[in-house]
């Protein structure tokens, strides 16, 4: 089964900013069950955007692949069904 078409990122560590390699993505807040409504964010031509729910600052970094993050580990992947 394929993952998300649009990457989903989380900020479970509570860092003030996350660098990502995508300009269009979903923010889930922290990992469930502490997540907020999954919100679609689009930077457009800007290089950063703030999530209106959790106030995480996302910064576009062209040196990262679309699902890579800095700090590492902020990509949210839906757990596989049992």
């Amino acid at each position: 089964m394929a993952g998300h078409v649009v990457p989903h990122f989380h900020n479970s560590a509570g860092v003030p900013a996350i660098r990502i390699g995508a300009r269009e993505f979903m923010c889930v807040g922290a990992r469930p069950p502490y997540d907020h409504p999954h919100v679609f964010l689009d930077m457009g031509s800007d290089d950063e955007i703030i999530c209106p729910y959790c106030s995480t600052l996302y910064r576009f970094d062209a040196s990262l692949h679309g699902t890579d993050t800095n700090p590492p580990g902020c990509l949210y992947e839906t757990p596989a069904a049992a």
Side-chain angles (χ1 to χ4, degrees), residues 36-73:
H36 60 55
H38 299 189
V39 59
F40 179 80
L41 299 172
D42 184 349
M43 290 185 202
S45 61
D46 294 334
D47 289 331
E48 59 185 35
I49 194 167
I50 296 174
C51 175
Y53 284 95
C54 64
S55 299
T56 298
L57 173 62
Y58 288 95
R59 290 192 172 124
F60 176 71
D61 184 336
S63 69
L64 296 173
H65 180 267
T67 59
D68 292 337
T69 64
N70 189 348

Side-chain angles (χ1 to χ4, degrees), residues 3-12 18-22 25-26 28-29 31 58 65-78:
H4 301 294
V5 174
V6 175
H8 289 54
F9 299 108
H10 69 86
N11 188 6
S12 296
I18 300 172
R19 293 186 313 152
I20 60 175
F25 61 96
M26 300 283 287
V28 303
R31 286 188 194 107
Y58 288 95
H65 180 267
T67 59
D68 292 337
T69 64
N70 189 348
C74 295
L75 177 66
Y76 174 71
E77 298 182 270
T78 305

